[in-house]
Amino acid sequence: MHDTILVLIHGFEWTAKQDIFLLLPEISLCKYSGSTTEVLYEKLCENTGLDDGSPFWFKVYISVNPKKTGYDCLEFGAPYSLLDRACNIIAIAAGSPLGLCRLIHKRDSQIQSELNLIPRGQTEFWGGNSSWPTLNDEICESIVLMWKTATNHWEKHKAPGRLNNALTYFYYSWRSHYMDQICINLSIVLEILFAPHSNTETSHQIAFNVSRFFTHSRSSREKTYDLVKKFYSHRSTIVHGGRTDEKRLIDMTVPVFKLVTCILKRILEEPSLAGIFDDEEQRREMFRQYLFE
């Protein structure tokens, strides 16, 4: 039996025509239905009583060869493990957090399994939508591209940098249990990427830089600017020990989560942009151009 780690991801549909997308030669994003992994998991449920003998609903899984990637990928739940970084890219591409993962480790004649429950913050945050996010060919190809960019930057720095830190705190946002934690972590992502090089009028300048980066028309820029400014007012209330209205916090945080996924997706799909955000001089010049265009 090959040494393989399988991560079964709950709550995602698979409509891609391809069954397998290679992120690296040793890590793949795969269709679950009709796979040998489906057979293995269902036999485990039937023969060992795993998941009370009743298989969960899976459509997507990740397959990893730990002998080639290193066994640190087993540290699931840590933002820098290979498996968590892959899940983070999936969350960005789909614009949705992951909810539940079943880990299966096949090694020699042994099969080990554990369940990883990923908090979704508060249920209201995700809108109670009954439809699952879908991984089609376009999104899967985007995942491959974003993974390549993110991995190149990870291998290049192997240390904190703007892009690596932004991805880390985005990961913390959708792994958080509570709405205020989600809000704070998303605000950190925006600050890492769009904070000015001075400490004056920070919230205004972040909102301005985001609106210029993300939108083109004046009306869209105004809406994005207002959204980020209002979001930051809630962030400031939380940070300074105040109380914020829960419903208003949800109403602000949901669209900002979507906004952040779109921003990260654009950066990771354009390696040149990723390079700009990781280079202080280029980043400074980009924001300076926003002021004078």
Side-chain angles (χ1 to χ4, degrees), residues 190 193-197 201-215 224-225 228 263 266 277 283-284 286-291:
L190 291 174
L193 295 175
F194 295 103
H197 291 84
E201 297 184 320
T202 302
S203 63
H204 156 71
Q205 292 195 54
I206 290 173
F208 174 78
N209 289 336
V210 171
S211 67
R212 289 303 306 270
F213 175 82
F214 187 66
T215 55
T224 302
Y225 177 88
V228 176
I263 288 170
R266 181 183 169 192
F277 276 95
R283 179 176 170 273
R284 187 192 303 270
M286 179 176 69
F287 292 161
R288 185 175 183 278
Q289 289 178 6
Y290 287 167
L291 291 172

Side-chain angles (χ1 to χ4, degrees), residues 94-278:
S96 175
L98 285 65
L100 174 152
C101 292
R102 164 63 69 188
L103 274 68
I104 299 175
H105 185 192
K106 302 190 299 181
R107 189 174 189 181
D108 299 324
S109 60
Q110 301 296 317
I111 300 179
Q112 299 175 326
S113 178
E114 65 177 274
L115 188 65
N116 191 282
L117 293 171
I118 301 177
R120 286 176 171 265
Q122 299 189 12
T123 311
E124 299 92 334
F125 178 69
W126 310 116
N129 194 338
S130 59
S131 63
W132 299 110
T134 298
L135 299 187
N136 55 28
D137 285 286
E138 180 182 357
I139 292 177
C140 289
E141 288 166 3
S142 174
I143 290 170
V144 172
L145 177 57
M146 288 194 290
W147 173 260
K148 182 178 179 180
T149 302
T151 301
N152 286 343
H153 278 260
W154 177 259
E155 293 298 326
K156 178 181 177 181
H157 295 286
K158 288 289 180 70
R162 283 196 186 271
L163 186 55
N164 286 343
N165 282 345
L167 291 171
T168 296
Y169 283 96
F170 175 74
Y171 170 87
Y172 286 141
S173 76
W174 60 266
R175 292 278 312 208
S176 295
H177 289 271
Y178 301 103
M179 190 59 52
D180 56 346
Q181 297 171 355
I182 297 170
C183 172
I184 294 301
N185 284 303
L186 288 175
S187 71
I188 292 173
V189 177
L190 291 174
E191 288 186 38
I192 289 170
L193 295 175
F194 295 103
H197 291 84
S198 64
N199 294 323
T200 59
E201 297 184 320
T202 302
S203 63
H204 156 71
Q205 292 195 54
I206 290 173
F208 174 78
N209 289 336
V210 171
S211 67
R212 289 303 306 270
F213 175 82
F214 187 66
T215 55
H216 299 287
S217 69
R218 176 170 178 171
S219 61
S220 296
R221 284 174 181 167
E222 288 179 354
K223 288 179 181 178
T224 302
Y225 177 88
D226 289 341
L227 171 64
V228 176
K229 280 283 285 182
K230 290 176 181 176
F231 175 73
Y232 259 81
S233 69
H234 289 285
R235 172 257 185 206
S236 297
T237 299
I238 295 168
V239 168
H240 296 291
R243 299 182 65 180
T244 185
D245 179 82
E246 187 75 4
K247 184 180 184 306
R248 292 180 64 191
L249 181 60
I250 293 170
D251 289 343
M252 288 291 100
T253 306
V254 171
V256 169
F257 178 87
K258 294 292 186 181
L259 174 65
V260 169
T261 62
C262 291
I263 288 170
L264 290 172
K265 187 172 185 288
R266 181 183 169 192
I267 293 171
L268 292 172
E269 285 184 338
E270 298 183 40
S272 60
L273 265 180
I276 289 173
F277 276 95
D278 258 352

